[in-house]
Amino acid sequence: MHKNGSLRQVHDYPSHSVFEACTRVTSDIQDLYTITACENTGNVNLYLTSFTSRGGFTMGPFETQASEARKLQNMGAVVMLVDTPKYPQFRFRTGTIYLYDVNTDPEGEVLEELEAIDSNDFLGCQGWNRDQAFLGNADITFTEEINTYRLLVTELDHGFFTLHFSYSRGSKEINIKQTSFTDLHQLLAKYNYSMPDGSYFAAVRVVGF
């Protein structure tokens, strides 16, 4: 299963260096290609393996600005790489969400960075009044009918951000439509529940039926 990234699949992907550890894999909805994130001493390289030819063909490495690969997800025309610490509870850094386009034009870059979303992008957004956010993880969905992506990003101490944007393949940037914040402590308080001491909001996931 390309989407889930089996251990065998990750193990069989080529690495640029013997010191690389390929830890994340994702694919497009038609399984025409997979993208692998490989960590190497504080750097993350991406590889694209195309299955349009017999046996598959791997291109890369493509260097990124990320230092850790917390999550890798392909949704619509966008690839998301979550760069947050392995142990986010220590709050060494605030984290960054990178968005990429997979370019099918042989004249251009195969993987092109569209946006780097960090704590500063959420300052002043609806429902958030703090100076700094520590990002934990993220999940991305896409509604084709209205060409809208929804990016949900956990904030370790307080809840999660929602960022709506549009993007068309071939564009050089995303168009951010709206950002908002959901305070999970307030939401839990409505049900007379509070978070245990020392806990934090580590991940978010959108599920459907």
Side-chain angles (χ1 to χ4, degrees):
M1 293 188 298
H2 297 319
K3 287 182 174 53
N4 291 336
S6 65
L7 291 175
R8 179 179 178 82
Q9 190 177 3
V10 175
H11 180 269
D12 289 345
Y13 281 158
S15 294
H16 180 62
S17 167
V18 294
F19 300 105
E20 276 190 339
C22 296
T23 57
R24 300 286 184 264
V25 62
T26 186
S27 73
D28 71 306
I29 193 170
Q30 296 177 311
D31 283 341
L32 297 177
Y33 61 82
T34 60
I35 297 174
T36 311
C38 302
E39 299 180 356
N40 183 357
T41 59
N43 297 305
V44 176
N45 291 325
L46 297 179
Y47 295 84
L48 186 145
T49 301
S50 171
F51 293 101
T52 56
S53 60
R54 184 175 180 181
F57 179 77
T58 298
M59 293 169 282
F62 303 102
E63 295 183 2
T64 74
Q65 299 183 60
S67 55
E68 296 184 64
R70 185 76 165 172
K71 183 177 180 179
L72 184 68
Q73 184 181 357
N74 194 132
M75 182 59 60
V78 174
V79 174
M80 177 190 72
L81 174 63
V82 178
D83 177 20
T84 55
K86 183 177 181 180
Y87 302 105
Q89 65 271 29
F90 297 122
R91 295 164 177 77
F92 293 128
R93 55 193 179 90
T94 57
T96 305
I97 313 298
Y98 294 97
L99 301 178
Y100 302 91
D101 171 55
V102 180
N103 193 351
T104 56
D105 182 358
E107 297 294 327
E109 294 290 334
V110 176
L111 284 170
E112 189 167 357
E113 183 181 311
L114 298 172
E115 193 77 31
I117 300 170
D118 59 20
S119 174
N120 293 327
D121 290 293
F122 299 110
L123 296 180
C125 81
Q126 180 183 345
W128 179 258
N129 56 9
R130 295 173 174 82
D131 295 330
Q132 191 176 51
F134 286 91
L135 310 183
N137 213 321
D139 194 60
I140 188 171
T141 64
F142 176 59
T143 304
E144 186 174 4
E145 290 76 11
I146 56 175
N147 186 32
T148 298
Y149 292 84
R150 181 173 61 171
L151 179 67
L152 280 75
V153 184
T154 55
E155 202 286 325
L156 293 178
D157 298 312
H158 305 286
F160 66 89
F161 297 99
T162 304
L163 186 149
H164 295 83
F165 69 92
S166 61
Y167 174 72
S168 298
R169 191 179 292 278
S171 300
K172 297 298 182 181
E173 58 185 17
I174 65 173
N175 177 29
I176 298 177
K177 297 181 176 181
Q178 180 185 359
T179 59
S180 62
F181 176 74
T182 300
D183 190 324
L184 289 179
H185 292 293
Q186 291 184 3
L187 188 62
L188 292 171
K190 293 181 179 180
Y191 300 94
N192 297 316
Y193 184 82
S194 59
M195 293 288 287
D197 292 344
S199 60
Y200 54 92
F201 300 110
V204 61
R205 178 67 173 168
V206 177
V207 296
F209 299 94

